[in-house]
Amino acid sequence: MARHIYVHNPFCARKCPYCDFYSVTDHSCIEEFYKAAIKETELIGSVITDKTGTNQLTDADGKDTVYFGGGTPSVPDSHLIAELLGSVKKNFNISDDAEITIEVNPSSVREDKLEEYLKAGFNRISLGVQSLHDDVLKTLGRLHDSKGAVDAIKKITAAGFTNVSADLITGVPGETLEGIKQDIKTFHELGVKHISTYSLSIEEGTPFFERYSKTLEDLVSPDDERKMYHGTREFLQSLGYETYEISNSALPGFRSIHNSSYWNSCEYFAIGAGAHGYLGDMRYGHKDDVISYINEMKDLTSKDYKDFIEGRKNDLVSLYVEEMLSKEDKMREVPFLRLRTTEGILLDDFVKLFGEEFENVFAREVEDNIKKGLLERKERTLRLTRSGLDLANKVIEDFL
């Protein structure tokens, strides 16, 4: 049975002004952090059984996945990344055909790093491009320019990676739909198999919140942002990319199995400061504090970790329980996760998981949104309509 592991590298070269993910620019404790992450991996490996973190009913793909995110995992020395992946593969008994992804930024891509990633077992690269237009990159505060991004893709493919994903941010002040289409066309010509397109969101606590929270809609109107979203989606499809989730499109055979595991309600392990996981009835996390994480892992025992994941210990410093889910909570998470996907809610799968019909549990919510033209039935599925895509958050809120 498949397992899914998320590893959070909290280190960045510089904090991007729009980003609210946990990251730090002080690299003085990088080596200590990776020692702590290996210790955590070994602790987990010492207490789990073959069934921990697996569920055949939710795992449609049946493949192990490992995902190194951040932060910027390409900032640390590659030997640290390789050693941690080796520990993950050993302690989780990761299969040879697993999807193993690392996020990298164009400014920190080097041939020697790519060679070591490939040798260690990574077989998928997710590249944080965000744009191939220098004016947009400047607005976003990125360290690279368009030439650097194109060169990075060429280095990645030349190193032997055939499964490459690239990110774009849409709705940036000064950005145009034609510019986004040019970026996508370039990705396609360079052999990028998967493209994630994220609408710019203004998060409290970021420099962008101070800069744009009151003015973004004046610079990029909601109507223009939606036209950009649908135009981007249609152009991706014209090039053969299948849009399988609100923000993700891929050529056939190149969907992200790891990200799909989230939308399928699969369980997953979390490693590293700022990482979040889901095991059994428990959603849990590690506090956004590298030093607390390092210190806790020094003293934590296998018994402590076993007691934590089995719900008998919740007074730890870095590890904490976010929430314990009831059956009703888990049922409500299905529309929250599955309505993001093009397939939508698979009604037969819901019955297998919970022993109840989705449309009986959520009869009012379903009928109200169908009447509004935001939700549609198609055989044994429920999914968002085109209008529903524009009001996805509102539709999802109705089920929570």
Side-chain angles (χ1 to χ4, degrees):
M1 288 189 285
R3 281 208 168 109
H4 308 287
I5 298 97
Y6 175 73
V7 180
H8 190 76
N9 164 85
F11 302 101
C12 276
R14 185 174 73 191
K15 185 80 173 176
C16 294
Y18 56 86
C19 179
D20 70 335
F21 291 128
Y22 176 57
S23 65
V24 296
T25 54
D26 178 358
H27 300 170
S28 60
C29 61
I30 281 185
E31 293 209 5
E32 285 185 273
F33 170 81
Y34 276 90
K35 287 178 184 175
I38 287 174
K39 169 76 178 295
E40 182 173 23
T41 303
E42 291 170 345
L43 287 173
I44 298 172
S46 71
V47 301
I48 59 175
T49 69
D50 290 342
K51 293 184 179 180
T52 310
T54 66
N55 188 336
Q56 284 182 313
L57 292 177
T58 58
D59 212 323
D61 292 294
K63 276 192 176 184
D64 292 339
T65 66
V66 182
Y67 194 103
F68 277 55
T72 311
S74 55
V75 163
D77 286 343
S78 51
H79 80 271
L80 296 173
I81 297 289
E83 287 172 7
L84 179 52
L85 177 59
S87 181
V88 169
K89 290 165 71 176
K90 176 183 175 183
N91 286 285
F92 289 94
N93 194 27
I94 299 300
S95 60
D96 292 339
D97 67 346
E99 176 194 86
I100 305 180
T101 304
I102 183 168
E103 292 181 348
V104 304
N105 276 346
S107 58
S108 52
V109 168
R110 294 204 319 254
E111 286 92 343
D112 59 328
K113 286 187 174 183
L114 293 167
E115 184 180 344
E116 189 150 12
Y117 297 155
L118 199 63
K119 185 178 178 182
F122 289 99
N123 52 30
R124 184 175 184 271
I125 296 277
S126 179
L127 185 66
V129 177
Q130 318 314 353
S131 176
L132 290 176
H133 285 70
D134 288 342
D135 56 336
V136 177
L137 289 169
K138 185 175 180 180
T139 298
L140 292 171
R142 301 294 289 173
L143 288 171
H144 63 275
D145 59 15
S146 57
K147 182 179 183 302
V150 170
D151 288 347
I153 296 171
K154 290 178 178 177
K155 288 177 185 176
I156 290 166
T157 55
F161 286 94
T162 57
N163 191 349
V164 181
S165 176
D167 292 352
L168 287 176
I169 295 180
T170 64
V172 180
E175 193 174 35
T176 66
L177 175 57
E178 285 309 307
I180 294 168
K181 287 181 178 180
Q182 288 173 16
D183 292 351
I184 292 169
K185 186 172 183 289
T186 300
F187 286 160
H188 185 255
E189 290 169 349
L190 290 170
V192 172
K193 302 297 196 299
H194 184 285
I195 299 175
S196 298
T197 52
Y198 301 108
S199 296
L200 178 66
S201 59
I202 306 302
E203 305 295 343
E204 194 168 353
T206 66
F208 262 36
F209 185 81
E210 298 297 323
R211 191 184 308 173
Y212 293 123
S213 62
K214 296 178 181 178
T215 61
L216 184 63
E217 289 193 3
D218 295 330
L219 296 168
V220 183
S221 73
D223 285 346
D224 286 344
E225 190 278 327
R226 286 291 86 192
K227 287 177 184 175
M228 197 173 288
Y229 172 80
H230 288 292
T232 298
R233 186 171 171 137
E234 288 163 6
F235 187 68
L236 281 162
Q237 291 170 353
S238 75
L239 293 177
Y241 292 91
E242 301 168 339
T243 301
Y244 65 101
E245 190 267 348
I246 284 177
S247 302
N248 288 277
S249 303
L251 295 177
F254 289 94
R255 295 185 181 191
S256 169
I257 300 172
H258 183 85
N259 287 344
S260 295
S261 74
Y262 297 147
W263 306 317
N264 291 336
S265 303
C266 294
E267 297 177 30
Y268 54 97
F269 295 88
I271 296 165
H276 299 268
Y278 171 41
L279 295 174
D281 297 330
M282 178 176 69
R283 289 201 177 274
Y284 70 101
H286 302 71
K287 290 179 182 174
D288 294 349
D289 187 330
V290 173
I291 301 304
S292 291
Y293 176 76
I294 291 169
N295 290 336
E296 179 155 277
M297 290 305 148
K298 285 178 182 176
D299 299 326
L300 212 62
T301 66
S302 292
K303 183 179 184 304
D304 292 332
Y305 215 105
K306 183 178 177 64
D307 287 346
F308 174 76
I309 64 174
E310 293 181 357
R312 294 188 297 273
K313 189 177 184 71
N314 59 11
D315 59 347
L316 299 173
V317 176
S318 177
L319 277 163
Y320 67 97
V321 177
E322 292 181 333
E323 60 179 325
M324 297 300 294
L325 302 176
S326 64
K327 178 183 175 182
E328 182 183 26
D329 293 331
K330 290 182 179 182
M331 288 194 291
R332 290 190 180 279
E333 283 195 345
V334 170
F336 173 73
L337 296 167
R338 289 296 308 175
L339 285 178
R340 294 188 58 85
T341 68
T342 303
E343 287 180 321
I345 299 164
L346 306 177
L347 300 177
D348 290 336
D349 286 0
F350 189 89
V351 173
K352 289 175 186 175
L353 269 175
F354 302 109
E356 300 184 53
E357 284 284 352
F358 182 87
E359 292 186 81
N360 291 339
V361 178
F362 299 106
R364 178 188 60 79
E365 294 89 341
V366 170
E367 289 307 318
D368 284 353
N369 281 288
I370 287 176
K371 287 177 182 177
K372 293 174 186 174
L374 305 178
L375 206 60
E376 65 181 0
R377 289 188 185 92
K378 187 176 181 182
E379 297 175 353
R380 289 285 290 163
T381 65
L382 283 167
R383 65 183 188 182
L384 295 172
T385 62
R386 182 186 171 96
S387 298
L389 284 169
D390 293 333
L391 296 169
N393 289 339
K394 177 67 179 68
V395 175
I396 289 167
E397 282 174 12
D398 287 349
F399 291 91
L400 297 179

